[in-house]
Amino acid sequence: MDVRKRAKVNQAGSSLGILPPGSSGERCSSGKRTEPARLREGVFPLGRSGSFSGSYLPRRWPWQRCVSMAAGLFLAVLLAMAQAWCVNAIHENLLWFSQLTEVEREISFRTECGLYYSYYKQMLQAPSIQEGLSELIHDNLTESKRTINLLQRMNIYQEVFLSVLYRLLPLQAYLEPVYFYIYTVFSLQAVYVIALYLTAWLLAGSWLAGLLTGVWYILNRVDTTRVEFTISLRENWSLPFFALQVTAVTCYLRPQLSALQQKVMVWLMYVTTCCFCLTWQFNQFILLVQALIVYMLDIVDLLTTTQPDLKTGGLLVRLAKVLLHSILVLLLAFIINSLTKKALQLRSDEHIFKFIKSKFALGPTRDFDASLYLCEEAFGLLPLDTLERLAGTLLLYPYVPTVLLLSGMLAVAVLHNLRPKGSWEEEKRAAAGGQVDAFRPDVAYNLLHSVLYGLLAFSTMRMKYIWTGHMCAVAAYGVCGTDLWTLLLKALRCNTKVLLRFIRYAVPVLMIGWLYYKFWPKLMEELSELREFYDPDTVELMTWISTKTPKQAVFAGSMQLLAGIKLCTGRVLTNHPHYEDKDLRERTRQVYQVYARRSPEEVYDILRAVGADYVVLENSICYERRHRRGCRLRDLLDLANGHIMDGPGENEADLVPASHPRFCEAIKTDAAAYTALFTSTFQNKTFYVYRLKKKRKKSGKASSEPGVKQ
């Protein structure tokens, strides 16, 4: 028996203005160079071309290229399988998942993960696929007293697809449904690694860059993914498709692609973008940043499309046109967005904008929805220890100079592109003489992608998973490409083709060797650490609900706990963690009054208005200590209600003492005012469950969902 711990759970070279060594060869400290008269022609899907790093290196024979391509693809698949195996092993070792009972497995899908997985389970339990889809389209279990279209409200197409696939394939006798689900998610991690590998390969022209990218991604797993702990989160489904889309865009922006290759890349972009949008509700914010990147590339002449009105005139005139055009585009987008939301009465993303305004002190600081996000560590600033971990694996050291160097080159190229153009003959002569500072559009795209998403990650920690994976590819491009090494060798006056080629292959090999020496024992130790899922209080609660309450009973409580109740027991909920609906957000704020200072009559009326039969109170929320004062849930409710907060500390002048004790504490005293309305039906060290009694004789008429009194 295993002893387990219990845990509660650009174009390099000439295209960047860095001209390759002359054909005559250079000697260290010679200070002389011969400019190349032409670039080599030819294009290879993942190899070198006339406009890619290392393009002036000697050509290989066809069989050599084939062997190199096969080796690179084999290593990509090998690294991908290693990542999928690692996250699966960690998940198994953390929970001892294979030995858990069904209820324990389902409890391990914490918070919103349990909600999403419940729809997969619901589809499998339906008598037929058609009836299962009908239940999702006309769902009355997720939100009491409401019938909603889950396919329209939530991004659960992946759960529907997997459930249909599992029912159609002959897998039932060999693979349990839960394993089919988690293996699919872990397989997407393999896709993610392959996408990053190919992006780095495309940028650097060497599969060594892809190898280094994959190694970095796996070693920095704490900061690149959290899939082994939060399997069902939408980002774990969507980010692999997003990475594939970035790879397709990178390949599409390569010069000298044939018409067929361009069409293939365009279709890949369509497919991957569609999958990304279907699997994550926040896709529009990510795609907005991408659209801004493409827009910036176009206005500075780094794309092949032309807009004559913007790309004529002197430097100041062009800058003014660009600024004016950008303002008009943003203003028009804002107007169209506002009018569309008003016409269709769409208010699902209001909390995001309130969060952004509050985060940058541009809006009210007492807003409950905004504060609920701001008080979570995941939505705070990026902790500095993240950079320490990234530096510990050597990832940060090449990344920073690569971004700084490319940013400087991009700025020079932009100024060149924006200045007045000379005649066609002058441009041709300048290009032939190697005097034009062109910049590879694929490098520019990935540079801006990394910088903008890096800023997003620094402002909101949860968004770091979009940045850190791509960060591996950019850093690998800096190590395995020619840009950094060419400038360094020029500064040392040792810029020879042989030395450049030796360095750009030797350095990544040495880095991989050092990473293997330092981190392989730690990785093996992590993979051998055995723990065990242990949460008897939650198991006891779920068992009691399943066996002692009616199947149509309606439960109120915290969003996170109710998601587990939905998955484990199938009971009806009053609210849930999918926070993208305005009415649901208001309902959640009302239900959470059980943790505020409200009278038993007010709480009873609120719970009855949303159809609750039972309310579950949690000691971990009522007596919360995890957050600082002002960020505890009871503090957020007090502030929203205009009441002073618990404990020592300052309170704003306009806050007043509440006229009632805190409900979650006072109800345990069995005072007459509470026992007249609520009956205690279950309790353990963590949870207290109360049943709402029948409506009293004296009860004022309330609206269907009363607002919170201030």
Side-chain angles (χ1 to χ4, degrees):
M1 178 67 68
D2 294 326
V3 179
R4 295 171 176 262
K5 300 177 182 178
R6 287 187 167 183
K8 192 171 182 178
V9 201
N10 292 320
Q11 180 175 347
S14 61
S15 62
L16 284 172
I18 307 175
L19 300 175
S23 57
S24 59
E26 298 181 74
R27 297 291 184 264
C28 292
S29 304
S30 66
K32 297 181 181 180
R33 49 195 296 239
T34 303
E35 306 293 351
R38 64 183 183 277
L39 295 174
R40 296 183 183 273
E41 298 178 353
V43 61
F44 310 105
L46 286 170
R48 304 184 304 276
S49 72
S51 55
F52 276 74
S53 297
S55 60
Y56 50 85
L57 298 177
R59 285 182 178 272
R60 295 180 180 178
W61 294 101
W63 68 268
Q64 291 177 310
R65 291 199 300 270
C66 291
V67 171
S68 177
M69 180 79 69
L73 295 176
F74 172 76
L75 288 174
V77 174
L78 191 64
L79 280 173
M81 294 176 62
Q83 169 64 4
W85 177 80
C86 280
V87 294
N88 180 63
I90 291 174
H91 176 258
E92 168 64 25
N93 292 347
L94 179 68
L95 303 175
W96 205 1
F97 194 78
S98 60
Q99 302 300 316
L100 297 181
T101 63
E102 183 179 4
V103 66
E104 289 175 324
R105 288 181 179 178
E106 292 177 346
I107 291 173
S108 70
F109 288 89
R110 298 288 188 179
T111 65
E112 59 187 293
C113 296
L115 183 69
Y116 295 129
Y117 183 77
S118 71
Y119 300 122
Y120 171 75
K121 176 183 176 182
Q122 182 176 329
M123 279 290 295
L124 292 179
Q125 292 178 342
S128 65
I129 295 175
Q130 292 78 7
E131 292 185 42
L133 289 173
S134 178
E135 291 175 358
L136 295 181
I137 295 174
H138 306 92
D139 178 86
N140 55 11
L141 300 178
T142 304
E143 296 177 16
S144 58
K145 302 181 70 172
R146 291 178 182 170
T147 298
I148 59 175
N149 185 341
L150 291 171
L151 296 182
Q152 184 182 43
R153 173 79 74 81
M154 303 183 188
N155 296 69
I156 58 170
Y157 294 101
Q158 49 267 53
E159 278 76 22
V160 174
F161 173 77
L162 276 193
S163 62
V164 172
L165 197 62
Y166 184 80
R167 296 180 72 137
L168 295 179
L169 295 177
L171 298 174
Q172 291 81 355
Y174 310 100
L175 193 65
E176 296 178 61
V178 64
Y179 280 108
F180 182 67
Y181 187 92
I182 63 176
Y183 287 168
T184 301
V185 179
F186 292 158
S187 297
L188 284 176
Q189 279 292 297
V191 174
Y192 199 174
V193 171
I194 290 177
L196 295 175
Y197 186 106
L198 295 179
T199 299
W201 190 352
L202 287 167
L203 291 173
S206 168
W207 53 257
L208 269 178
L211 178 61
L212 189 57
T213 299
V215 171
W216 267 330
Y217 183 85
I218 295 174
L219 293 182
N220 290 282
R221 189 177 57 258
V222 172
D223 297 300
T224 55
T225 183
R226 49 179 177 166
V227 65
E228 62 265 38
F229 310 107
T230 56
I231 296 174
S232 303
L233 279 189
R234 304 300 85 177
E235 67 189 46
N236 297 329
W237 287 92
S238 60
L239 290 185
F241 295 113
F242 182 66
L244 284 175
Q245 185 230 46
V246 172
T247 303
V249 173
T250 301
C251 189
Y252 177 77
L253 293 177
R254 287 167 61 107
Q256 300 180 353
L257 284 185
S258 66
L260 178 60
Q261 290 172 327
Q262 288 184 347
K263 289 181 180 179
V264 171
M265 290 302 108
V266 168
W267 277 105
L268 284 176
M269 284 187 278
Y270 287 158
V271 173
T272 53
T273 303
C274 179
C275 293
F276 173 64
C277 292
L278 290 176
T279 52
W280 200 14
Q281 67 269 30
F282 296 132
N283 64 81
Q284 64 271 28
F285 301 102
I286 307 303
L287 295 179
L288 174 62
V289 177
Q290 272 199 326
L292 291 175
I293 293 173
V294 175
Y295 172 72
M296 287 189 289
L297 292 180
D298 182 51
I299 62 178
V300 297
D301 289 358
L302 286 176
L303 299 181
T304 56
T305 56
T306 58
Q307 295 176 345
D309 291 339
L310 286 178
K311 301 182 178 180
T312 57
L315 177 60
L316 294 179
V317 174
R318 290 198 60 184
L319 288 176
K321 288 182 177 181
V322 166
L323 180 61
L324 178 61
H325 189 264
S326 301
I327 293 175
L328 290 176
V329 167
L330 294 175
L331 182 61
L332 184 62
F334 175 78
I335 293 174
I336 294 176
N337 181 59
S338 300
L339 293 177
T340 302
K341 287 182 178 178
K342 188 174 182 180
L344 300 178
Q345 297 183 346
L346 299 176
R347 298 175 294 176
S348 59
D349 57 358
E350 285 183 353
H351 64 302
I352 300 297
F353 293 105
K354 288 194 295 185
F355 160 71
I356 294 174
K357 289 192 295 184
S358 297
K359 188 176 182 66
F360 296 101
L362 300 175
T365 56
R366 290 186 188 175
D367 182 82
F368 179 78
D369 296 330
S371 300
L372 204 60
Y373 281 98
L374 289 172
C375 286
E376 289 298 327
E377 183 182 4
F379 293 93
L381 299 177
L382 186 72
L384 294 180
D385 61 351
T386 303
L387 301 181
E388 296 177 2
R389 289 192 298 269
L390 296 176
T393 59
L394 303 183
L395 173 58
L396 195 63
Y397 297 119
Y399 175 78
V400 172
T402 298
V403 169
L404 293 178
L405 173 67
L406 292 178
S407 298
M409 292 177 173
L410 179 59
V412 173
V414 167
L415 291 176
H416 174 271
N417 290 346
L418 292 178
R419 70 186 182 185
K421 300 295 189 294
S423 64
W424 184 82
E425 290 78 9
E426 292 175 352
E427 293 290 330
K428 184 177 179 180
R429 286 195 297 270
Q435 300 171 1
V436 177
D437 294 325
F439 200 97
R440 281 172 51 187
D442 58 335
V443 174
Y445 169 78
N446 281 274
L447 171 64
L448 294 177
H449 181 285
S450 185
V451 170
L452 292 183
Y453 287 113
L455 295 175
L456 189 62
F458 272 92
S459 66
T460 306
M461 188 191 75
R462 184 174 179 179
M463 307 308 292
K464 74 175 180 178
Y465 301 103
I466 302 176
W467 174 58
T468 48
H470 188 260
M471 181 184 181
C472 299
V474 173
Y477 166 62
V479 173
C480 302
T482 60
D483 304 326
L484 286 174
W485 300 122
T486 300
L487 284 184
L488 179 61
L489 292 177
K490 280 184 178 180
L492 297 176
R493 299 181 180 274
C494 297
N495 191 20
T496 64
K497 289 188 286 188
V498 174
L499 183 58
L500 175 63
R501 189 175 187 183
F502 172 77
I503 289 178
R504 66 190 293 259
Y505 290 121
V507 171
V509 170
L510 291 175
M511 292 180 70
I512 292 173
W514 184 85
L515 291 173
Y516 172 84
Y517 172 77
K518 182 176 181 180
F519 290 99
W520 179 258
K522 295 181 180 179
L523 181 61
M524 292 297 101
E525 181 181 356
E526 182 181 6
L527 293 175
S528 62
E529 184 179 7
L530 303 178
R531 298 187 180 185
E532 180 183 358
F533 176 87
Y534 184 71
D535 192 356
D537 290 349
T538 306
V539 171
E540 185 183 11
L541 172 66
M542 298 303 173
T543 303
W544 179 83
I545 293 175
S546 298
T547 58
K548 302 297 183 179
T549 64
K551 291 185 177 180
Q552 295 302 317
V554 180
F555 278 80
S558 68
M559 297 183 290
Q560 296 80 2
L561 178 63
L562 291 183
I565 291 177
K566 170 71 168 62
L567 171 59
C568 298
T569 71
R571 299 307 189 261
V572 186
L573 313 180
T574 58
N575 51 300
H576 53 80
H578 194 271
Y579 216 53
E580 315 310 315
D581 179 75
K582 181 177 176 59
D583 293 332
L584 177 66
R585 292 195 294 270
E586 177 60 25
R587 176 184 278 208
T588 299
R589 187 169 73 95
Q590 293 174 15
V591 171
Y592 276 4
Q593 297 303 309
V594 297
Y595 297 107
R597 290 188 173 101
R598 303 297 293 269
S599 69
E601 292 81 8
E602 289 175 315
V603 173
Y604 180 90
D605 289 340
I606 289 173
L607 296 178
R608 271 302 184 198
V610 297
D613 299 311
Y614 295 86
V615 58
V616 184
L617 302 179
E618 302 172 61
N619 285 341
S620 58
I621 299 179
C622 191
Y623 308 104
E624 181 183 1
R625 296 180 180 179
R626 183 170 65 94
H627 291 100
R628 67 182 187 278
R629 184 176 185 269
C631 269
R632 300 168 299 187
L633 179 60
R634 62 180 185 269
D635 296 336
L636 302 184
L637 292 165
D638 289 341
L639 291 174
N641 295 339
H643 299 155
I644 61 173
M645 296 181 290
D646 284 340
E650 297 182 357
N651 290 282
E652 296 184 25
D654 61 327
L655 298 177
V656 298
S659 57
H660 300 281
R662 195 166 303 283
F663 179 84
C664 62
E665 297 177 356
I667 194 175
K668 298 173 185 176
T669 63
D670 293 332
Y674 295 91
T675 57
L677 303 173
F678 302 92
T679 300
S680 177
T681 56
F682 173 87
Q683 72 177 61
N684 58 24
K685 292 184 297 182
T686 304
F687 304 103
Y688 290 76
V689 182
Y690 295 88
R691 179 174 56 82
L692 278 69
K693 293 185 176 181
K694 295 297 182 180
K695 194 171 184 179
R696 299 154 294 153
K697 295 180 180 179
K698 295 182 180 181
S699 179
K701 295 182 179 179
S703 60
S704 59
E705 290 188 18
V708 178
K709 300 178 183 179
Q710 299 299 319

